Amino acid sequence: PFKCEFCAQIAIFGQKPRTKSARQVVDELQTLYDLGYRGMIDFGYDNLIGNVAHTEEVLAAMSTWSREHGHPFCFSTEATMNLARLPKVLELMRENDFRYVFIGIESGEADVLDRAQKGQNTYVRPEDAVRIINSYGMVVNTGVILGFDGESPKAAEHVLDMVQRTGAFPSLVLPLHALPGTDLSKR
């Protein structure tokens, strides 16, 4: 639902988060269970918290199913730092044994995030977001991009500072690319 100028997902799929119904998700868990699979599942929503009410409904249904089946799965997913502002979602994620969350922190410079239309990453300080999510038993992996317009010459140092403040080591460090169809490539 955001408008990050470098995001290819928006260019490809639009700003309306694609979702599955709670029934669909539970049916898919049941299929994996029936096939004998046990273990980690990457819960691949475009943005887990793009539609918070829907996410709560899906996670609640998953929690009920999981309890009834002896908690056969653990999960990883991707979200924005806004996840830290959603205690009910975080609690439901803990109930479902979400262990890893990938968060695109993107930059250690707030003005760069604003310019790239990634202002949603400025509502919560990265160190606070990581601490809160960690407190629910989840490991935070982060993504960082270098090469934004207006980035200071100390951008890499700011990333290292952010890593030290958060304790979350970037699992992905990429140069900025203006992917076709994005607002960044148009600009």
Side-chain angles (χ1 to χ4, degrees):
F2 303 114
K3 188 129 175 72
C4 314
E5 76 168 350
F6 57 87
C7 183
Q9 295 286 53
I10 295 166
I12 296 168
F13 301 114
Q15 288 181 264
K16 182 179 180 202
R18 298 171 300 153
T19 60
K20 293 182 179 185
S21 70
R23 180 80 257 152
Q24 284 176 292
V25 172
V26 167
D27 287 348
E28 290 176 7
L29 294 178
Q30 186 66 49
T31 297
L32 290 170
Y33 183 85
D34 291 345
L35 291 169
Y37 179 73
R38 306 295 184 271
M40 178 72 72
I41 294 174
D42 185 39
F43 199 73
Y45 264 40
D46 291 342
N47 175 357
L48 178 71
I49 58 171
N51 179 334
V52 176
H54 181 73
T55 298
E56 290 174 357
E57 178 185 332
V58 169
L59 291 175
M62 288 171 58
S63 182
T64 299
W65 181 92
S66 188
R67 264 193 314 279
E68 292 169 354
H69 292 80
H71 302 279
F73 306 125
C74 57
F75 299 90
S76 63
T77 196
E78 184 173 325
T80 65
M81 288 197 319
N82 289 336
L83 177 61
R85 300 167 64 195
L86 302 169
K88 183 175 179 183
V89 171
L90 286 164
E91 184 56 42
L92 286 164
M93 290 174 72
R94 177 171 37 203
E95 286 177 22
N96 280 291
D97 198 10
F98 275 77
R99 295 183 183 178
Y100 301 96
V101 178
F102 177 86
I103 293 177
I105 292 178
E106 316 305 7
S107 176
E109 299 180 349
D111 57 327
V112 167
L113 293 170
D114 285 334
R115 251 187 314 254
Q117 298 178 39
K118 186 82 176 178
Q120 68 270 18
N121 273 18
T122 62
Y123 300 141
V124 181
R125 295 180 325 157
E127 58 267 32
D128 293 336
V130 171
R131 179 186 47 76
I132 290 166
I133 295 167
N134 286 162
S135 76
Y136 285 85
M138 290 172 263
V139 173
V140 176
N141 296 310
T142 64
V144 176
I145 297 173
L146 291 172
F148 284 107
D149 293 342
E151 204 170 63
S152 79
K154 295 189 176 228
E157 291 174 40
H158 293 150
V159 167
L160 289 174
D161 179 58
M162 183 265 307
V163 168
Q164 290 175 334
R165 287 190 330 266
T166 64
F169 192 78
S171 57
L172 187 61
V173 179
L174 296 170
L176 180 65
H177 291 284
L179 297 170
T182 63
D183 286 349
L184 179 61
S185 71
K186 292 171 189 168
R187 183 168 61 79

mmCIF file of all heavy atoms in Angstrom, residues 125-162:
data_model
loop_
_atom_site.group_PDB
_atom_site.id
_atom_site.type_symbol
_atom_site.label_atom_id
_atom_site.label_comp_id
_atom_site.label_asym_id
_atom_site.label_seq_id
_atom_site.Cartn_x
_atom_site.Cartn_y
_atom_site.Cartn_z
ATOM 1 N N ARG A 125 12.128 4.253 14.940
ATOM 2 C CA ARG A 125 13.574 4.166 14.764
ATOM 3 C C ARG A 125 13.961 2.706 14.548
ATOM 4 O O ARG A 125 13.392 1.820 15.195
ATOM 5 C CB ARG A 125 14.302 4.731 15.974
ATOM 6 C CG ARG A 125 14.085 6.204 16.173
ATOM 7 C CD ARG A 125 14.814 6.775 17.369
ATOM 8 N NE ARG A 125 14.884 5.830 18.467
ATOM 9 C CZ ARG A 125 15.792 5.853 19.430
ATOM 10 N NH1 ARG A 125 16.705 6.790 19.441
ATOM 11 N NH2 ARG A 125 15.793 4.964 20.389
ATOM 12 N N PRO A 126 14.897 2.429 13.652
ATOM 13 C CA PRO A 126 15.263 1.033 13.387
ATOM 14 C C PRO A 126 15.613 0.244 14.634
ATOM 15 O O PRO A 126 15.188 -0.904 14.797
ATOM 16 C CB PRO A 126 16.470 1.141 12.446
ATOM 17 C CG PRO A 126 16.317 2.462 11.784
ATOM 18 C CD PRO A 126 15.647 3.354 12.804
ATOM 19 N N GLU A 127 16.361 0.852 15.541
ATOM 20 C CA GLU A 127 16.751 0.116 16.744
ATOM 21 C C GLU A 127 15.542 -0.231 17.614
ATOM 22 O O GLU A 127 15.493 -1.287 18.245
ATOM 23 C CB GLU A 127 17.823 0.859 17.550
ATOM 24 C CG GLU A 127 17.437 2.249 17.991
ATOM 25 C CD GLU A 127 17.873 3.339 17.010
ATOM 26 O OE1 GLU A 127 17.913 3.101 15.801
ATOM 27 O OE2 GLU A 127 18.159 4.453 17.503
ATOM 28 N N ASP A 128 14.535 0.656 17.638
ATOM 29 C CA ASP A 128 13.320 0.366 18.404
ATOM 30 C C ASP A 128 12.504 -0.729 17.723
ATOM 31 O O ASP A 128 12.000 -1.636 18.386
ATOM 32 C CB ASP A 128 12.471 1.629 18.568
ATOM 33 C CG ASP A 128 13.150 2.678 19.434
ATOM 34 O OD1 ASP A 128 14.010 2.311 20.267
ATOM 35 O OD2 ASP A 128 12.827 3.873 19.273
ATOM 36 N N ALA A 129 12.379 -0.646 16.400
ATOM 37 C CA ALA A 129 11.624 -1.667 15.663
ATOM 38 C C ALA A 129 12.237 -3.044 15.871
ATOM 39 O O ALA A 129 11.529 -4.022 16.182
ATOM 40 C CB ALA A 129 11.571 -1.322 14.178
ATOM 41 N N VAL A 130 13.546 -3.137 15.720
ATOM 42 C CA VAL A 130 14.220 -4.432 15.884
ATOM 43 C C VAL A 130 14.067 -4.942 17.310
ATOM 44 O O VAL A 130 13.755 -6.112 17.537
ATOM 45 C CB VAL A 130 15.707 -4.334 15.462
ATOM 46 C CG1 VAL A 130 16.457 -5.599 15.835
ATOM 47 C CG2 VAL A 130 15.808 -4.060 13.966
ATOM 48 N N ARG A 131 14.254 -4.064 18.288
ATOM 49 C CA ARG A 131 14.131 -4.478 19.698
ATOM 50 C C ARG A 131 12.730 -5.001 19.983
ATOM 51 O O ARG A 131 12.562 -6.038 20.623
ATOM 52 C CB ARG A 131 14.460 -3.294 20.624
ATOM 53 C CG ARG A 131 14.343 -3.613 22.109
ATOM 54 C CD ARG A 131 14.544 -2.358 22.968
ATOM 55 N NE ARG A 131 13.798 -1.192 22.529
ATOM 56 C CZ ARG A 131 12.486 -1.010 22.706
ATOM 57 N NH1 ARG A 131 11.764 -1.936 23.306
ATOM 58 N NH2 ARG A 131 11.893 0.085 22.295
ATOM 59 N N ILE A 132 11.711 -4.299 19.505
ATOM 60 C CA ILE A 132 10.325 -4.716 19.752
ATOM 61 C C ILE A 132 10.049 -6.060 19.093
ATOM 62 O O ILE A 132 9.497 -6.974 19.713
ATOM 63 C CB ILE A 132 9.336 -3.635 19.255
ATOM 64 C CG1 ILE A 132 9.422 -2.394 20.145
ATOM 65 C CG2 ILE A 132 7.909 -4.178 19.216
ATOM 66 C CD1 ILE A 132 8.759 -1.152 19.559
ATOM 67 N N ILE A 133 10.426 -6.214 17.837
ATOM 68 C CA ILE A 133 10.173 -7.473 17.134
ATOM 69 C C ILE A 133 10.951 -8.611 17.782
ATOM 70 O O ILE A 133 10.415 -9.705 17.981
ATOM 71 C CB ILE A 133 10.494 -7.316 15.632
ATOM 72 C CG1 ILE A 133 9.519 -6.312 15.001
ATOM 73 C CG2 ILE A 133 10.422 -8.666 14.916
ATOM 74 C CD1 ILE A 133 9.913 -5.829 13.613
ATOM 75 N N ASN A 134 12.200 -8.353 18.165
ATOM 76 C CA ASN A 134 12.984 -9.365 18.882
ATOM 77 C C ASN A 134 12.304 -9.787 20.178
ATOM 78 O O ASN A 134 12.364 -10.965 20.564
ATOM 79 C CB ASN A 134 14.376 -8.846 19.231
ATOM 80 C CG ASN A 134 15.336 -8.752 18.067
ATOM 81 O OD1 ASN A 134 16.351 -8.052 18.160
ATOM 82 N ND2 ASN A 134 15.068 -9.428 16.974
ATOM 83 N N SER A 135 11.636 -8.841 20.845
ATOM 84 C CA SER A 135 11.001 -9.161 22.132
ATOM 85 C C SER A 135 9.859 -10.170 21.981
ATOM 86 O O SER A 135 9.426 -10.767 22.956
ATOM 87 C CB SER A 135 10.508 -7.889 22.828
ATOM 88 O OG SER A 135 9.320 -7.401 22.226
ATOM 89 N N TYR A 136 9.384 -10.356 20.752
ATOM 90 C CA TYR A 136 8.354 -11.358 20.474
ATOM 91 C C TYR A 136 8.968 -12.669 19.976
ATOM 92 O O TYR A 136 8.265 -13.535 19.461
ATOM 93 C CB TYR A 136 7.340 -10.821 19.453
ATOM 94 C CG TYR A 136 6.388 -9.828 20.062
ATOM 95 C CD1 TYR A 136 6.727 -8.483 20.177
ATOM 96 C CD2 TYR A 136 5.143 -10.227 20.545
ATOM 97 C CE1 TYR A 136 5.855 -7.568 20.746
ATOM 98 C CE2 TYR A 136 4.269 -9.321 21.122
ATOM 99 C CZ TYR A 136 4.629 -7.993 21.215
ATOM 100 O OH TYR A 136 3.754 -7.088 21.784
ATOM 101 N N GLY A 137 10.289 -12.796 20.135
ATOM 102 C CA GLY A 137 10.966 -14.044 19.810
ATOM 103 C C GLY A 137 11.392 -14.203 18.367
ATOM 104 O O GLY A 137 11.729 -15.304 17.940
ATOM 105 N N MET A 138 11.380 -13.129 17.607
ATOM 106 C CA MET A 138 11.735 -13.219 16.192
ATOM 107 C C MET A 138 13.087 -12.564 15.913
ATOM 108 O O MET A 138 13.404 -11.524 16.485
ATOM 109 C CB MET A 138 10.662 -12.547 15.340
ATOM 110 C CG MET A 138 9.362 -13.331 15.314
ATOM 111 S SD MET A 138 8.036 -12.428 14.516
ATOM 112 C CE MET A 138 7.205 -11.726 15.945
ATOM 113 N N VAL A 139 13.837 -13.187 15.031
ATOM 114 C CA VAL A 139 15.099 -12.639 14.553
ATOM 115 C C VAL A 139 14.775 -11.733 13.371
ATOM 116 O O VAL A 139 13.987 -12.104 12.499
ATOM 117 C CB VAL A 139 16.050 -13.770 14.102
ATOM 118 C CG1 VAL A 139 17.298 -13.213 13.446
ATOM 119 C CG2 VAL A 139 16.391 -14.671 15.283
ATOM 120 N N VAL A 140 15.373 -10.554 13.365
ATOM 121 C CA VAL A 140 15.154 -9.609 12.272
ATOM 122 C C VAL A 140 16.357 -9.636 11.342
ATOM 123 O O VAL A 140 17.492 -9.424 11.770
ATOM 124 C CB VAL A 140 14.931 -8.175 12.806
ATOM 125 C CG1 VAL A 140 14.804 -7.190 11.651
ATOM 126 C CG2 VAL A 140 13.708 -8.130 13.703
ATOM 127 N N ASN A 141 16.093 -9.932 10.075
ATOM 128 C CA ASN A 141 17.085 -9.786 9.017
ATOM 129 C C ASN A 141 16.721 -8.507 8.282
ATOM 130 O O ASN A 141 15.543 -8.202 8.119
ATOM 131 C CB ASN A 141 17.026 -10.965 8.045
ATOM 132 C CG ASN A 141 17.387 -12.263 8.727
ATOM 133 O OD1 ASN A 141 18.405 -12.352 9.397
ATOM 134 N ND2 ASN A 141 16.556 -13.263 8.566
ATOM 135 N N THR A 142 17.732 -7.786 7.839
ATOM 136 C CA THR A 142 17.446 -6.498 7.213
ATOM 137 C C THR A 142 18.016 -6.403 5.813
ATOM 138 O O THR A 142 18.954 -7.113 5.451
ATOM 139 C CB THR A 142 18.020 -5.337 8.054
ATOM 140 O OG1 THR A 142 19.445 -5.446 8.090
ATOM 141 C CG2 THR A 142 17.456 -5.333 9.453
ATOM 142 N N GLY A 143 17.435 -5.498 5.060
ATOM 143 C CA GLY A 143 17.943 -5.152 3.746
ATOM 144 C C GLY A 143 18.320 -3.690 3.724
ATOM 145 O O GLY A 143 17.627 -2.854 4.304
ATOM 146 N N VAL A 144 19.431 -3.389 3.073
ATOM 147 C CA VAL A 144 19.934 -2.028 2.986
ATOM 148 C C VAL A 144 20.295 -1.753 1.532
ATOM 149 O O VAL A 144 20.794 -2.636 0.827
ATOM 150 C CB VAL A 144 21.181 -1.848 3.882
ATOM 151 C CG1 VAL A 144 21.773 -0.463 3.723
ATOM 152 C CG2 VAL A 144 20.845 -2.113 5.333
ATOM 153 N N ILE A 145 20.022 -0.543 1.094
ATOM 154 C CA ILE A 145 20.356 -0.124 -0.265
ATOM 155 C C ILE A 145 21.317 1.056 -0.179
ATOM 156 O O ILE A 145 21.105 1.983 0.600
ATOM 157 C CB ILE A 145 19.084 0.291 -1.035
ATOM 158 C CG1 ILE A 145 18.146 -0.905 -1.187
ATOM 159 C CG2 ILE A 145 19.446 0.875 -2.395
ATOM 160 C CD1 ILE A 145 16.792 -0.564 -1.787
ATOM 161 N N LEU A 146 22.354 1.011 -0.976
ATOM 162 C CA LEU A 146 23.290 2.133 -1.064
ATOM 163 C C LEU A 146 23.191 2.734 -2.465
ATOM 164 O O LEU A 146 22.999 2.018 -3.441
ATOM 165 C CB LEU A 146 24.724 1.668 -0.798
ATOM 166 C CG LEU A 146 25.011 1.235 0.639
ATOM 167 C CD1 LEU A 146 26.394 0.599 0.746
ATOM 168 C CD2 LEU A 146 24.887 2.402 1.600
ATOM 169 N N GLY A 147 23.305 4.062 -2.544
ATOM 170 C CA GLY A 147 23.293 4.741 -3.833
ATOM 171 C C GLY A 147 22.078 5.604 -4.071
ATOM 172 O O GLY A 147 21.813 6.021 -5.200
ATOM 173 N N PHE A 148 21.330 5.915 -3.010
ATOM 174 C CA PHE A 148 20.168 6.791 -3.155
ATOM 175 C C PHE A 148 20.597 8.201 -3.527
ATOM 176 O O PHE A 148 21.667 8.661 -3.129
ATOM 177 C CB PHE A 148 19.378 6.872 -1.839
ATOM 178 C CG PHE A 148 18.538 5.676 -1.534
ATOM 179 C CD1 PHE A 148 18.915 4.793 -0.542
ATOM 180 C CD2 PHE A 148 17.355 5.440 -2.219
ATOM 181 C CE1 PHE A 148 18.131 3.696 -0.235
ATOM 182 C CE2 PHE A 148 16.563 4.348 -1.926
ATOM 183 C CZ PHE A 148 16.953 3.462 -0.930
ATOM 184 N N ASP A 149 19.735 8.906 -4.258
ATOM 185 C CA ASP A 149 19.967 10.316 -4.530
ATOM 186 C C ASP A 149 20.045 11.066 -3.199
ATOM 187 O O ASP A 149 19.258 10.815 -2.291
ATOM 188 C CB ASP A 149 18.816 10.915 -5.345
ATOM 189 C CG ASP A 149 18.748 10.351 -6.756
ATOM 190 O OD1 ASP A 149 19.756 9.784 -7.218
ATOM 191 O OD2 ASP A 149 17.689 10.479 -7.379
ATOM 192 N N GLY A 150 20.983 11.954 -3.099
ATOM 193 C CA GLY A 150 21.105 12.781 -1.912
ATOM 194 C C GLY A 150 21.746 12.082 -0.727
ATOM 195 O O GLY A 150 21.834 12.650 0.358
ATOM 196 N N GLU A 151 22.197 10.866 -0.943
ATOM 197 C CA GLU A 151 22.864 10.135 0.134
ATOM 198 C C GLU A 151 24.152 10.859 0.509
ATOM 199 O O GLU A 151 24.861 11.361 -0.366
ATOM 200 C CB GLU A 151 23.194 8.748 -0.417
ATOM 201 C CG GLU A 151 23.344 7.681 0.585
ATOM 202 C CD GLU A 151 23.423 6.330 -0.112
ATOM 203 O OE1 GLU A 151 24.368 6.104 -0.885
ATOM 204 O OE2 GLU A 151 22.516 5.529 0.105
ATOM 205 N N SER A 152 24.457 10.921 1.766
ATOM 206 C CA SER A 152 25.672 11.605 2.188
ATOM 207 C C SER A 152 26.893 10.735 1.881
ATOM 208 O O SER A 152 26.767 9.526 1.711
ATOM 209 C CB SER A 152 25.616 11.919 3.688
ATOM 210 O OG SER A 152 25.928 10.761 4.442
ATOM 211 N N PRO A 153 28.059 11.355 1.835
ATOM 212 C CA PRO A 153 29.280 10.573 1.612
ATOM 213 C C PRO A 153 29.531 9.552 2.732
ATOM 214 O O PRO A 153 30.315 8.635 2.572
ATOM 215 C CB PRO A 153 30.393 11.622 1.578
ATOM 216 C CG PRO A 153 29.707 12.901 1.239
ATOM 217 C CD PRO A 153 28.326 12.786 1.835
ATOM 218 N N LYS A 154 28.841 9.725 3.835
ATOM 219 C CA LYS A 154 29.010 8.812 4.970
ATOM 220 C C LYS A 154 27.888 7.778 5.045
ATOM 221 O O LYS A 154 27.654 7.191 6.098
ATOM 222 C CB LYS A 154 29.069 9.618 6.265
ATOM 223 C CG LYS A 154 30.279 10.518 6.328
ATOM 224 C CD LYS A 154 30.424 11.139 7.690
ATOM 225 C CE LYS A 154 31.696 11.949 7.716
ATOM 226 N NZ LYS A 154 32.493 11.675 8.868
ATOM 227 N N ALA A 155 27.191 7.533 3.947
ATOM 228 C CA ALA A 155 26.054 6.609 3.947
ATOM 229 C C ALA A 155 26.434 5.218 4.458
ATOM 230 O O ALA A 155 25.717 4.627 5.255
ATOM 231 C CB ALA A 155 25.445 6.512 2.556
ATOM 232 N N ALA A 156 27.574 4.705 4.006
ATOM 233 C CA ALA A 156 27.993 3.367 4.459
ATOM 234 C C ALA A 156 28.279 3.371 5.959
ATOM 235 O O ALA A 156 27.922 2.418 6.661
ATOM 236 C CB ALA A 156 29.216 2.903 3.672
ATOM 237 N N GLU A 157 28.874 4.454 6.450
ATOM 238 C CA GLU A 157 29.117 4.570 7.895
ATOM 239 C C GLU A 157 27.795 4.622 8.657
ATOM 240 O O GLU A 157 27.677 4.035 9.739
ATOM 241 C CB GLU A 157 29.949 5.822 8.205
ATOM 242 C CG GLU A 157 31.373 5.726 7.724
ATOM 243 C CD GLU A 157 32.125 7.025 7.926
ATOM 244 O OE1 GLU A 157 31.941 7.677 8.978
ATOM 245 O OE2 GLU A 157 32.900 7.389 7.014
ATOM 246 N N HIS A 158 26.796 5.308 8.090
ATOM 247 C CA HIS A 158 25.482 5.369 8.738
ATOM 248 C C HIS A 158 24.829 3.989 8.776
ATOM 249 O O HIS A 158 24.151 3.642 9.742
ATOM 250 C CB HIS A 158 24.576 6.379 8.031
ATOM 251 C CG HIS A 158 25.041 7.783 8.172
ATOM 252 N ND1 HIS A 158 24.809 8.740 7.228
ATOM 253 C CD2 HIS A 158 25.742 8.405 9.160
ATOM 254 C CE1 HIS A 158 25.342 9.890 7.619
ATOM 255 N NE2 HIS A 158 25.916 9.692 8.787
ATOM 256 N N VAL A 159 25.039 3.194 7.746
ATOM 257 C CA VAL A 159 24.525 1.826 7.745
ATOM 258 C C VAL A 159 25.208 1.021 8.851
ATOM 259 O O VAL A 159 24.548 0.312 9.616
ATOM 260 C CB VAL A 159 24.714 1.150 6.369
ATOM 261 C CG1 VAL A 159 24.468 -0.353 6.456
ATOM 262 C CG2 VAL A 159 23.801 1.789 5.333
ATOM 263 N N LEU A 160 26.519 1.144 8.960
ATOM 264 C CA LEU A 160 27.237 0.418 10.016
ATOM 265 C C LEU A 160 26.773 0.865 11.398
ATOM 266 O O LEU A 160 26.611 0.037 12.303
ATOM 267 C CB LEU A 160 28.749 0.613 9.870
ATOM 268 C CG LEU A 160 29.378 -0.097 8.679
ATOM 269 C CD1 LEU A 160 30.854 0.282 8.543
ATOM 270 C CD2 LEU A 160 29.223 -1.591 8.786
ATOM 271 N N ASP A 161 26.546 2.161 11.553
ATOM 272 C CA ASP A 161 26.028 2.681 12.820
ATOM 273 C C ASP A 161 24.653 2.084 13.117
ATOM 274 O O ASP A 161 24.370 1.678 14.245
ATOM 275 C CB ASP A 161 25.956 4.217 12.770
ATOM 276 C CG ASP A 161 25.411 4.793 14.053
ATOM 277 O OD1 ASP A 161 25.993 4.534 15.130
ATOM 278 O OD2 ASP A 161 24.373 5.501 13.979
ATOM 279 N N MET A 162 23.806 2.013 12.084
ATOM 280 C CA MET A 162 22.477 1.435 12.258
ATOM 281 C C MET A 162 22.589 -0.036 12.663
ATOM 282 O O MET A 162 21.872 -0.514 13.543
ATOM 283 C CB MET A 162 21.668 1.582 10.966
ATOM 284 C CG MET A 162 20.239 1.077 11.026
ATOM 285 S SD MET A 162 20.026 -0.615 10.437
ATOM 286 C CE MET A 162 20.757 -0.583 8.843
#
